[in-house]
Amino acid sequence: HVRQYQDIMKWNYTSVGATCLAVGIAGFVAGKVSHSQSSPTESDKLLSRADQVATERMTGNRSGDGRSAATRARMGEGRSEASFDERLTNMEDIIRGENALDRGRAMLSWIDSLAPEEFEDAVARFRSLGVTEARMGEYAMLLTAWAELDPTAALAYTKENTRGGMATGTVLTAWTSRDPESAIAWAKANHEGDDANPYMVGIIRGIVETNPTRATELLSDLPFSRERGQALAAMLPHLMQMGTEAVKGWIDDLGDDRLKDGAIARLAKSIAKDDPEATATWLMANLGDASTSSVD
């Protein structure tokens, strides 16, 4: 939870296009119905598996004692006797606190008191109080916890009730970190047309650290678009952990010249402060439309 919180606090779709914390209205159920008349596809099987996992998590039928205290609490073990309305009032008190760290700690504990069926109303109440920039971290934690239990229900809600992509992206990132192929199948099933799939931004953010090769494949499949720029910006900080030369090699291997040019420009902005002379020399050897604007 802490790691998710730290990442998400840096992330605001509206103020930082680089890291997308994407989207339209269409029912998830309708997206699945279109496949019901034919034999099951691999996508159908993945989505079915996601539903099964969600059901197991919500009913508490998973075997073994390896569940975290947070997961056991959400399944009803050791939950507070306070009524749901009382706990919603407690949530309002938490998010009005002045100290961000205290709010974060209290919010995590409060989220652990929720039963699976209470998440939708909890998110609705949170949103009714105003999702300000100061409350974005707590909002993301609440969505992430819901995604852990039932990502398809969380996505159905965010698609119907939110705009701008932050909420949907948060749920997809959390789901992808646990079950990437099911999340990818959902994203493909819920997008129509040849334009960039906005759902892939959150998915790429969720997978890049554990599987940069798969993230690169998904990035390369996106056409030139704002979404591809957001996905690229989300990838670079993780790729930079491999070192500058490794990232340059990754860029060289990109098959799309326009994508490669954009990656060069973004990397140059990151490394210029440490070695401006070497960065300028590298840029001059790899000039394109985007990278040319970085030379000065």
Side-chain angles (χ1 to χ4, degrees), residues 86-270:
E86 289 173 332
R87 284 183 284 124
L88 287 178
T89 300
N90 291 338
M91 181 265 289
E92 295 181 17
D93 293 337
I94 290 170
I95 66 173
R96 290 191 176 103
E98 295 183 0
N99 186 289
L101 289 177
D102 288 344
R103 287 201 313 269
R105 295 187 187 101
M107 191 66 182
L108 286 173
S109 178
W110 183 84
I111 288 171
D112 287 343
S113 77
L114 292 177
E117 65 275 11
E118 293 174 337
F119 270 88
E120 181 170 342
D121 289 338
V123 171
R125 175 67 70 88
F126 189 103
R127 287 173 50 78
S128 73
L129 301 174
V131 184
T132 64
E133 185 171 356
R135 296 173 181 171
M136 197 66 70
E138 289 84 357
Y139 184 40
M141 284 192 289
L142 183 56
L143 292 169
T144 298
W146 192 6
E148 179 184 329
L149 289 171
D150 193 351
T152 56
L155 287 166
Y157 176 88
T158 61
K159 285 182 62 183
E160 182 67 26
N161 296 282
T162 70
R163 302 289 182 272
M166 178 271 173
T168 300
T170 299
V171 175
L172 282 169
T173 296
W175 189 9
T176 305
S177 67
R178 189 180 73 248
D179 189 358
E181 294 308 319
S182 292
I184 292 168
W186 183 94
K188 291 180 177 180
N190 283 269
H191 175 70
E192 296 180 356
D194 297 328
D195 56 327
N197 187 334
Y199 302 127
M200 287 300 172
V201 180
I203 287 175
I204 288 171
R205 186 188 313 107
I207 202 175
V208 61
E209 189 165 9
T210 57
N211 193 344
T213 299
R214 184 71 168 116
T216 301
E217 293 172 355
L218 297 174
L219 174 70
S220 299
D221 286 342
L222 291 173
F224 177 76
S225 58
R226 176 175 61 90
E227 288 80 8
R228 188 168 76 172
Q230 291 175 332
L232 176 60
M235 288 189 66
L236 280 178
H238 296 282
L239 296 175
M240 284 295 292
Q241 297 176 19
M242 301 186 300
T244 300
E245 293 306 313
V247 180
K248 289 180 179 179
W250 175 81
I251 292 174
D252 288 339
D253 290 337
L254 294 174
D256 186 302
D257 288 339
R258 201 167 187 179
L259 175 59
K260 182 183 298 185
D261 184 41
I264 290 171
R266 289 181 182 275
L267 178 60
K269 292 178 182 179
S270 298

Side-chain angles (χ1 to χ4, degrees), residues 280-294:
T281 300
W282 179 63
L283 276 172
M284 292 298 292
N286 295 278
L287 286 180
D289 291 339
S291 51
T292 295
S293 65
S294 303

